[in-house]
């Protein structure tokens, strides 16, 4: 098993398949109350989040604790980072404190790799800048797999701020590797340079993006982008790019609706869609628990 999980781009199809299999086993153990609650006894996990998080940090903490590991959450606001300690020095300090695995979120792309290259502990990237958020993509893929039992031939439509989204990047790499077709759609100012070199199509209209989609994924519009002039107003964004009841009519009748959260209700996605029958947003969160438990067990217990 790999020392660190830094991205999806460099995972092999077999590695992704293995993670899906282990996540499904873990989900069965959770649902059937047959978890090995001592699987990670004696293992020390640290969550080191330089950015805010609800889902990712909590599910990693739960994942470790449910499997018997010791989990320590470092609050950056109260840590020696505030005294100027560097990322590498923080990592080496955690090594000296017998840490087996660090889960890191950081605003800088590449921070997780920098840490992994300089510490003994294993590292999981919980989101680094605009680069990747691999465990989010793995839980998204797992959610789609549980619904369709396959990836090949599925159409995944991703809407919103692709440019700044590490979730979009990880999902484009992941779903396309597994044989699904990925289409992205958003304001041209919110598409990244080099999108034509990524394994996805760029749609020119909502209908074009939605057409034949099996899964429709909204992304959080980072409202601070509006201040930078990347789109004129929330109401115009909503009119042309939001996932709405009207827009989704072009998708397949049973298409599922996904969002990594947190969601801006009635901005990138309307409330009736978020809370509607197609929505699997809460399933994504629960599945994230199983995926992260599987990963911790694979990386720390050699399962
Ligand atoms: N999807 C996601 O990363 O959510 P959090 O920021 O709450 O962890």
């Amino acid at each position: 098993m790999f020392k660190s999980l830094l991205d999806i781009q460099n995972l092999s199809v077999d590695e992704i398949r293995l993670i899906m299999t282990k996540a499904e086993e873990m989900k069965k153990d959770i649902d059937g109350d047959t978890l090995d609650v001592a699987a990670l006894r004696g293992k020390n996990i640290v969550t080191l989040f330089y950015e805010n998080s609800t889902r990712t940090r909590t599910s990693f903490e739960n994942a470790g604790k449910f499997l018997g590991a010791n989990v320590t959450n470092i609050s950056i606001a109260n840590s020696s980072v505030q005294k100027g300690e560097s990322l590498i020095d923080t990592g080496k300090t955690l090594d000296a404190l017998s840490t087996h695995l660090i889960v890191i979120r950081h605003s800088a792309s590449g921070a997780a790799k920098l840490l992994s290259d300089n510490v003994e502990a294993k590292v999981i990237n919980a989101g680094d800048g605009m680069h990747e958020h691999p465990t989010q993509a793995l839980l998204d893929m797992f959610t789609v797999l549980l619904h369709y039992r396959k990836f090949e031939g599925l159409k995944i439509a991703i809407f919103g701020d692709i440019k700044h989204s590490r979730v979009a990047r990880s999902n484009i790499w992941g779903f396309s590797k597994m044989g699904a077709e990925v289409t992205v759609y958003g304001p041209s100012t919110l598409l990244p340079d080099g999108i034509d070199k990524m394994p996805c199509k760029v749609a020119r209209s909502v209908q074009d993006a939605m057409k034949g989609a099996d899964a429709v994924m909204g992304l959080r519009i980072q409202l601070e982008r509006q201040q930078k002039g990347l789109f004129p107003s929330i109401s115009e964004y909503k009119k042309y790019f939001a996932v709405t009841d009207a827009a989704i009519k072009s998708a397949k009748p049973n298409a599922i609706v996904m969002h990594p959260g947190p969601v801006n209700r009635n901005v990138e996605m309307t409330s009736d869609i978020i809370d509607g029958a197609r929505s699997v947003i809460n399933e994504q969160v629960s599945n994230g628990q199983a995926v992260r438990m599987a990963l911790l067990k694979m990386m720390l217990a050699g399962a």
Side-chain angles (χ1 to χ4, degrees), residues 49-101:
F49 277 50
Y50 290 76
E51 287 186 342
N52 296 338
S53 166
T54 298
R55 293 150 199 78
T56 313
R57 203 204 54 72
T58 308
S59 62
F60 267 116
E61 179 178 353
N62 285 352
K65 286 179 175 170
F66 291 173
L67 294 171
N70 306 309
V71 183
T72 305
N73 300 308
I74 294 191
S75 162
I76 294 299
N78 299 321
S79 76
S80 289
V81 170
Q82 300 304 329
K83 300 178 193 165
E85 186 163 59
S86 72
L87 175 59
I88 293 173
D89 284 343
T90 299
K92 288 188 185 301
T93 302
L94 296 178
D95 268 346
L97 291 168
S98 309
T99 303
H100 297 103
L101 188 144

Short mmCIF file of all heavy atoms in Angstrom, two decimals, residues 49-101:
data_model
loop_
_atom_site.label_atom_id
_atom_site.label_comp_id
_atom_site.label_asym_id
_atom_site.label_seq_id
_atom_site.Cartn_x
_atom_site.Cartn_y
_atom_site.Cartn_z
N PHE A 49 -5.41 20.65 10.27
CA PHE A 49 -6.21 21.39 9.30
C PHE A 49 -5.90 22.89 9.39
O PHE A 49 -6.24 23.53 10.38
CB PHE A 49 -7.71 21.13 9.53
CG PHE A 49 -8.19 19.86 8.87
CD1 PHE A 49 -7.53 18.66 9.05
CD2 PHE A 49 -9.31 19.87 8.05
CE1 PHE A 49 -7.95 17.49 8.44
CE2 PHE A 49 -9.75 18.71 7.43
CZ PHE A 49 -9.07 17.52 7.62
N TYR A 50 -5.28 23.40 8.34
CA TYR A 50 -4.98 24.83 8.27
C TYR A 50 -6.16 25.61 7.68
O TYR A 50 -6.10 26.83 7.58
CB TYR A 50 -3.74 25.08 7.38
CG TYR A 50 -2.44 24.61 7.99
CD1 TYR A 50 -2.11 23.25 8.01
CD2 TYR A 50 -1.53 25.52 8.52
CE1 TYR A 50 -0.90 22.81 8.55
CE2 TYR A 50 -0.32 25.09 9.07
CZ TYR A 50 -0.02 23.74 9.07
OH TYR A 50 1.18 23.31 9.61
N GLU A 51 -7.17 24.88 7.21
CA GLU A 51 -8.40 25.51 6.71
C GLU A 51 -9.57 24.86 7.42
O GLU A 51 -9.48 23.73 7.90
CB GLU A 51 -8.57 25.26 5.21
CG GLU A 51 -7.64 26.04 4.32
CD GLU A 51 -7.99 25.82 2.84
OE1 GLU A 51 -8.70 24.84 2.50
OE2 GLU A 51 -7.55 26.63 2.03
N ASN A 52 -10.72 25.55 7.40
CA ASN A 52 -11.92 25.04 8.09
C ASN A 52 -12.45 23.78 7.42
O ASN A 52 -12.26 23.57 6.22
CB ASN A 52 -13.01 26.10 8.09
CG ASN A 52 -12.61 27.32 8.89
OD1 ASN A 52 -11.73 27.24 9.75
ND2 ASN A 52 -13.22 28.45 8.60
N SER A 53 -13.14 22.98 8.20
CA SER A 53 -13.76 21.76 7.68
C SER A 53 -14.78 21.27 8.68
O SER A 53 -14.56 21.38 9.89
CB SER A 53 -12.69 20.69 7.47
OG SER A 53 -13.28 19.42 7.28
N THR A 54 -15.87 20.74 8.19
CA THR A 54 -16.81 20.00 9.07
C THR A 54 -16.75 18.52 8.71
O THR A 54 -16.39 17.67 9.54
CB THR A 54 -18.25 20.53 8.88
OG1 THR A 54 -18.26 21.91 9.26
CG2 THR A 54 -19.23 19.76 9.75
N ARG A 55 -17.06 18.21 7.44
CA ARG A 55 -17.21 16.80 7.04
C ARG A 55 -15.89 16.03 7.10
O ARG A 55 -15.82 14.94 7.68
CB ARG A 55 -17.73 16.72 5.60
CG ARG A 55 -19.11 17.22 5.44
CD ARG A 55 -19.31 17.80 4.03
NE ARG A 55 -20.46 18.66 4.05
CZ ARG A 55 -20.44 19.90 4.54
NH1 ARG A 55 -19.34 20.43 5.01
NH2 ARG A 55 -21.54 20.61 4.55
N THR A 56 -14.89 16.57 6.45
CA THR A 56 -13.65 15.80 6.27
C THR A 56 -12.96 15.58 7.62
O THR A 56 -12.60 14.44 7.96
CB THR A 56 -12.71 16.55 5.30
OG1 THR A 56 -13.46 16.97 4.17
CG2 THR A 56 -11.57 15.68 4.87
N ARG A 57 -12.83 16.65 8.39
CA ARG A 57 -12.12 16.49 9.67
C ARG A 57 -12.89 15.57 10.62
O ARG A 57 -12.32 14.66 11.22
CB ARG A 57 -11.86 17.85 10.33
CG ARG A 57 -10.69 17.80 11.32
CD ARG A 57 -10.77 18.86 12.36
NE ARG A 57 -12.02 18.88 13.09
CZ ARG A 57 -12.39 17.96 14.00
NH1 ARG A 57 -11.59 16.93 14.27
NH2 ARG A 57 -13.57 18.04 14.60
N THR A 58 -14.20 15.79 10.71
CA THR A 58 -14.99 14.97 11.64
C THR A 58 -15.00 13.51 11.21
O THR A 58 -14.91 12.60 12.05
CB THR A 58 -16.44 15.50 11.73
OG1 THR A 58 -16.38 16.90 12.01
CG2 THR A 58 -17.24 14.80 12.80
N SER A 59 -15.13 13.27 9.91
CA SER A 59 -15.20 11.86 9.49
C SER A 59 -13.85 11.16 9.64
O SER A 59 -13.81 9.97 9.96
CB SER A 59 -15.76 11.72 8.07
OG SER A 59 -14.93 12.34 7.15
N PHE A 60 -12.75 11.89 9.47
CA PHE A 60 -11.45 11.26 9.75
C PHE A 60 -11.30 10.98 11.25
O PHE A 60 -10.79 9.92 11.65
CB PHE A 60 -10.30 12.13 9.26
CG PHE A 60 -9.85 11.79 7.86
CD1 PHE A 60 -9.99 12.71 6.83
CD2 PHE A 60 -9.28 10.56 7.57
CE1 PHE A 60 -9.59 12.39 5.53
CE2 PHE A 60 -8.87 10.24 6.28
CZ PHE A 60 -9.02 11.16 5.27
N GLU A 61 -11.74 11.93 12.06
CA GLU A 61 -11.65 11.71 13.51
C GLU A 61 -12.49 10.49 13.91
O GLU A 61 -12.02 9.59 14.62
CB GLU A 61 -12.13 12.96 14.27
CG GLU A 61 -12.06 12.77 15.78
CD GLU A 61 -12.49 14.01 16.57
OE1 GLU A 61 -12.72 15.06 15.96
OE2 GLU A 61 -12.59 13.89 17.81
N ASN A 62 -13.74 10.45 13.45
CA ASN A 62 -14.61 9.30 13.75
C ASN A 62 -13.98 8.02 13.21
O ASN A 62 -13.99 6.99 13.89
CB ASN A 62 -15.97 9.47 13.08
CG ASN A 62 -16.84 10.48 13.81
OD1 ASN A 62 -16.48 10.94 14.89
ND2 ASN A 62 -17.97 10.82 13.23
N ALA A 63 -13.48 8.08 11.98
CA ALA A 63 -12.93 6.88 11.34
C ALA A 63 -11.83 6.27 12.20
O ALA A 63 -11.81 5.07 12.46
CB ALA A 63 -12.41 7.21 9.94
N GLY A 64 -10.92 7.11 12.65
CA GLY A 64 -9.83 6.61 13.49
C GLY A 64 -10.36 6.05 14.80
O GLY A 64 -10.00 4.95 15.22
N LYS A 65 -11.25 6.81 15.45
CA LYS A 65 -11.75 6.38 16.77
C LYS A 65 -12.57 5.10 16.66
O LYS A 65 -12.46 4.21 17.51
CB LYS A 65 -12.59 7.49 17.39
CG LYS A 65 -11.74 8.66 17.91
CD LYS A 65 -12.61 9.76 18.50
CE LYS A 65 -11.75 10.84 19.12
NZ LYS A 65 -12.54 12.03 19.50
N PHE A 66 -13.40 4.99 15.63
CA PHE A 66 -14.23 3.79 15.48
C PHE A 66 -13.38 2.53 15.32
O PHE A 66 -13.83 1.43 15.62
CB PHE A 66 -15.17 3.91 14.27
CG PHE A 66 -16.26 4.96 14.43
CD1 PHE A 66 -17.08 5.28 13.36
CD2 PHE A 66 -16.46 5.62 15.63
CE1 PHE A 66 -18.08 6.24 13.48
CE2 PHE A 66 -17.46 6.59 15.77
CZ PHE A 66 -18.27 6.90 14.70
N LEU A 67 -12.15 2.70 14.81
CA LEU A 67 -11.27 1.54 14.61
C LEU A 67 -10.23 1.40 15.72
O LEU A 67 -9.30 0.62 15.61
CB LEU A 67 -10.59 1.64 13.23
CG LEU A 67 -11.55 1.54 12.03
CD1 LEU A 67 -10.83 1.86 10.73
CD2 LEU A 67 -12.17 0.14 11.95
N GLY A 68 -10.38 2.19 16.76
CA GLY A 68 -9.54 2.01 17.94
C GLY A 68 -8.26 2.82 17.97
O GLY A 68 -7.42 2.61 18.87
N ALA A 69 -8.05 3.73 17.00
CA ALA A 69 -6.83 4.53 17.00
C ALA A 69 -6.95 5.68 18.00
O ALA A 69 -8.04 6.06 18.42
CB ALA A 69 -6.58 5.09 15.60
N ASN A 70 -5.78 6.24 18.35
CA ASN A 70 -5.78 7.50 19.11
C ASN A 70 -5.80 8.63 18.08
O ASN A 70 -4.96 8.64 17.18
CB ASN A 70 -4.50 7.63 19.94
CG ASN A 70 -4.29 6.42 20.82
OD1 ASN A 70 -5.20 6.03 21.55
ND2 ASN A 70 -3.12 5.80 20.71
N VAL A 71 -6.73 9.54 18.22
CA VAL A 71 -6.82 10.64 17.23
C VAL A 71 -6.66 11.97 17.96
O VAL A 71 -7.36 12.23 18.94
CB VAL A 71 -8.17 10.62 16.48
CG1 VAL A 71 -8.20 11.72 15.43
CG2 VAL A 71 -8.42 9.26 15.85
N THR A 72 -5.74 12.78 17.47
CA THR A 72 -5.52 14.11 18.04
C THR A 72 -5.82 15.14 16.97
O THR A 72 -5.31 15.04 15.85
CB THR A 72 -4.04 14.26 18.48
OG1 THR A 72 -3.72 13.20 19.38
CG2 THR A 72 -3.80 15.60 19.16
N ASN A 73 -6.65 16.11 17.30
CA ASN A 73 -6.95 17.19 16.36
C ASN A 73 -6.13 18.41 16.76
O ASN A 73 -6.23 18.88 17.90
CB ASN A 73 -8.43 17.55 16.42
CG ASN A 73 -9.30 16.37 16.07
OD1 ASN A 73 -9.11 15.73 15.05
ND2 ASN A 73 -10.26 16.04 16.94
N ILE A 74 -5.33 18.89 15.82
CA ILE A 74 -4.56 20.11 16.12
C ILE A 74 -5.34 21.31 15.62
O ILE A 74 -5.69 21.39 14.43
CB ILE A 74 -3.17 20.04 15.46
CG1 ILE A 74 -2.38 18.92 16.13
CG2 ILE A 74 -2.45 21.38 15.60
CD1 ILE A 74 -0.92 18.90 15.80
N SER A 75 -5.62 22.19 16.54
CA SER A 75 -6.28 23.44 16.16
C SER A 75 -5.19 24.45 15.81
O SER A 75 -4.39 24.84 16.67
CB SER A 75 -7.12 23.94 17.33
OG SER A 75 -7.41 25.28 17.15
N ILE A 76 -5.13 24.80 14.53
CA ILE A 76 -4.05 25.68 14.08
C ILE A 76 -4.07 27.00 14.86
O ILE A 76 -3.02 27.54 15.21
CB ILE A 76 -4.18 25.93 12.56
CG1 ILE A 76 -3.93 24.62 11.80
CG2 ILE A 76 -3.24 27.03 12.08
CD1 ILE A 76 -2.57 24.00 11.98
N ALA A 77 -5.26 27.48 15.17
CA ALA A 77 -5.37 28.77 15.87
C ALA A 77 -4.67 28.73 17.23
O ALA A 77 -4.20 29.76 17.71
CB ALA A 77 -6.84 29.12 16.06
N ASN A 78 -4.60 27.53 17.85
CA ASN A 78 -3.98 27.42 19.18
C ASN A 78 -2.64 26.71 19.12
O ASN A 78 -2.12 26.29 20.16
CB ASN A 78 -4.92 26.65 20.12
CG ASN A 78 -6.23 27.36 20.29
OD1 ASN A 78 -6.26 28.58 20.37
ND2 ASN A 78 -7.32 26.62 20.30
N SER A 79 -2.08 26.53 17.93
CA SER A 79 -0.84 25.76 17.81
C SER A 79 0.35 26.69 17.64
O SER A 79 0.20 27.91 17.48
CB SER A 79 -0.92 24.82 16.61
OG SER A 79 -0.75 25.58 15.43
N SER A 80 1.53 26.08 17.60
CA SER A 80 2.74 26.89 17.42
C SER A 80 2.90 27.40 16.00
O SER A 80 3.85 28.15 15.71
CB SER A 80 3.97 26.07 17.84
OG SER A 80 3.96 25.92 19.23
N VAL A 81 1.98 27.03 15.11
CA VAL A 81 1.96 27.64 13.77
C VAL A 81 1.80 29.16 13.93
O VAL A 81 2.39 29.95 13.19
CB VAL A 81 0.80 27.06 12.92
CG1 VAL A 81 0.60 27.85 11.63
CG2 VAL A 81 1.07 25.59 12.61
N GLN A 82 1.02 29.55 14.96
CA GLN A 82 0.79 30.98 15.21
C GLN A 82 2.07 31.69 15.64
O GLN A 82 2.16 32.91 15.60
CB GLN A 82 -0.31 31.18 16.27
CG GLN A 82 -1.66 30.59 15.90
CD GLN A 82 -2.19 31.13 14.56
OE1 GLN A 82 -1.91 32.27 14.19
NE2 GLN A 82 -2.92 30.31 13.84
N LYS A 83 3.07 30.91 16.08
CA LYS A 83 4.36 31.52 16.47
C LYS A 83 5.35 31.46 15.32
O LYS A 83 6.53 31.71 15.49
CB LYS A 83 4.94 30.79 17.68
CG LYS A 83 4.07 30.82 18.92
CD LYS A 83 4.76 30.00 20.02
CE LYS A 83 3.82 29.72 21.17
NZ LYS A 83 4.34 28.66 22.05
N GLY A 84 4.85 31.02 14.15
CA GLY A 84 5.71 31.02 12.97
C GLY A 84 6.33 29.68 12.64
O GLY A 84 7.21 29.59 11.78
N GLU A 85 5.92 28.61 13.31
CA GLU A 85 6.52 27.30 13.02
C GLU A 85 6.17 26.88 11.60
O GLU A 85 5.02 27.01 11.16
CB GLU A 85 6.02 26.26 14.01
CG GLU A 85 6.72 24.92 13.85
CD GLU A 85 6.55 24.00 15.06
OE1 GLU A 85 5.38 23.68 15.39
OE2 GLU A 85 7.55 23.63 15.68
N SER A 86 7.16 26.35 10.89
CA SER A 86 6.94 25.96 9.49
C SER A 86 6.17 24.63 9.44
O SER A 86 6.11 23.89 10.42
CB SER A 86 8.28 25.79 8.77
OG SER A 86 8.92 24.62 9.23
N LEU A 87 5.66 24.34 8.25
CA LEU A 87 4.93 23.09 8.04
C LEU A 87 5.84 21.89 8.31
O LEU A 87 5.46 20.93 9.00
CB LEU A 87 4.39 23.05 6.61
CG LEU A 87 3.70 21.76 6.17
CD1 LEU A 87 2.51 21.43 7.06
CD2 LEU A 87 3.24 21.86 4.72
N ILE A 88 7.06 21.95 7.78
CA ILE A 88 7.97 20.80 7.95
C ILE A 88 8.35 20.63 9.41
O ILE A 88 8.36 19.51 9.94
CB ILE A 88 9.22 20.97 7.05
CG1 ILE A 88 8.82 20.87 5.58
CG2 ILE A 88 10.28 19.93 7.39
CD1 ILE A 88 9.92 21.19 4.59
N ASP A 89 8.62 21.74 10.10
CA ASP A 89 8.96 21.62 11.53
C ASP A 89 7.77 21.08 12.33
O ASP A 89 7.95 20.29 13.26
CB ASP A 89 9.41 22.98 12.09
CG ASP A 89 10.84 23.32 11.64
OD1 ASP A 89 11.55 22.40 11.19
OD2 ASP A 89 11.22 24.49 11.72
N THR A 90 6.57 21.50 11.95
CA THR A 90 5.38 20.96 12.63
C THR A 90 5.31 19.46 12.39
O THR A 90 5.05 18.67 13.31
CB THR A 90 4.11 21.66 12.11
OG1 THR A 90 4.21 23.06 12.39
CG2 THR A 90 2.86 21.11 12.77
N GLY A 91 5.55 19.04 11.14
CA GLY A 91 5.51 17.61 10.80
C GLY A 91 6.56 16.82 11.56
O GLY A 91 6.28 15.74 12.09
N LYS A 92 7.78 17.35 11.66
CA LYS A 92 8.84 16.64 12.38
C LYS A 92 8.52 16.56 13.88
O LYS A 92 8.85 15.57 14.54
CB LYS A 92 10.19 17.34 12.14
CG LYS A 92 10.72 17.14 10.72
CD LYS A 92 12.12 17.67 10.55
CE LYS A 92 12.63 17.59 9.12
NZ LYS A 92 12.67 16.23 8.55
N THR A 93 7.85 17.59 14.39
CA THR A 93 7.41 17.55 15.79
C THR A 93 6.40 16.42 15.98
O THR A 93 6.47 15.66 16.96
CB THR A 93 6.77 18.91 16.18
OG1 THR A 93 7.74 19.93 15.96
CG2 THR A 93 6.32 18.93 17.63
N LEU A 94 5.50 16.27 15.02
CA LEU A 94 4.50 15.19 15.12
C LEU A 94 5.17 13.82 15.00
O LEU A 94 4.78 12.87 15.68
CB LEU A 94 3.41 15.37 14.06
CG LEU A 94 2.56 16.64 14.23
CD1 LEU A 94 1.53 16.75 13.12
CD2 LEU A 94 1.87 16.67 15.59
N ASP A 95 6.20 13.73 14.15
CA ASP A 95 7.00 12.48 14.09
C ASP A 95 7.58 12.15 15.46
O ASP A 95 7.52 11.00 15.92
CB ASP A 95 8.17 12.65 13.11
CG ASP A 95 7.83 12.21 11.68
OD1 ASP A 95 6.79 11.53 11.50
OD2 ASP A 95 8.60 12.53 10.77
N ALA A 96 8.12 13.18 16.11
CA ALA A 96 8.76 12.96 17.42
C ALA A 96 7.73 12.58 18.49
O ALA A 96 8.10 12.08 19.55
CB ALA A 96 9.52 14.22 17.84
N LEU A 97 6.46 12.85 18.20
CA LEU A 97 5.39 12.49 19.14
C LEU A 97 4.71 11.17 18.72
O LEU A 97 3.54 10.94 19.02
CB LEU A 97 4.36 13.64 19.20
CG LEU A 97 4.88 14.92 19.88
CD1 LEU A 97 3.92 16.08 19.65
CD2 LEU A 97 5.08 14.69 21.38
N SER A 98 5.46 10.33 18.00
CA SER A 98 5.01 8.97 17.66
C SER A 98 3.76 8.94 16.79
O SER A 98 2.89 8.08 16.96
CB SER A 98 4.74 8.14 18.93
OG SER A 98 5.83 8.21 19.79
N THR A 99 3.66 9.88 15.87
CA THR A 99 2.49 9.93 14.99
C THR A 99 2.68 8.95 13.84
O THR A 99 3.72 8.95 13.19
CB THR A 99 2.31 11.37 14.45
OG1 THR A 99 2.21 12.24 15.56
CG2 THR A 99 1.08 11.48 13.58
N HIS A 100 1.66 8.15 13.58
CA HIS A 100 1.75 7.20 12.46
C HIS A 100 1.17 7.78 11.18
O HIS A 100 1.58 7.38 10.08
CB HIS A 100 1.01 5.90 12.81
CG HIS A 100 1.61 5.18 13.98
ND1 HIS A 100 1.07 5.21 15.24
CD2 HIS A 100 2.75 4.44 14.07
CE1 HIS A 100 1.83 4.49 16.07
NE2 HIS A 100 2.86 4.02 15.38
N LEU A 101 0.19 8.65 11.31
CA LEU A 101 -0.46 9.17 10.09
C LEU A 101 -0.98 10.59 10.35
O LEU A 101 -1.58 10.85 11.41
CB LEU A 101 -1.61 8.26 9.68
CG LEU A 101 -2.28 8.57 8.32
CD1 LEU A 101 -2.69 7.26 7.63
CD2 LEU A 101 -3.49 9.47 8.46
#
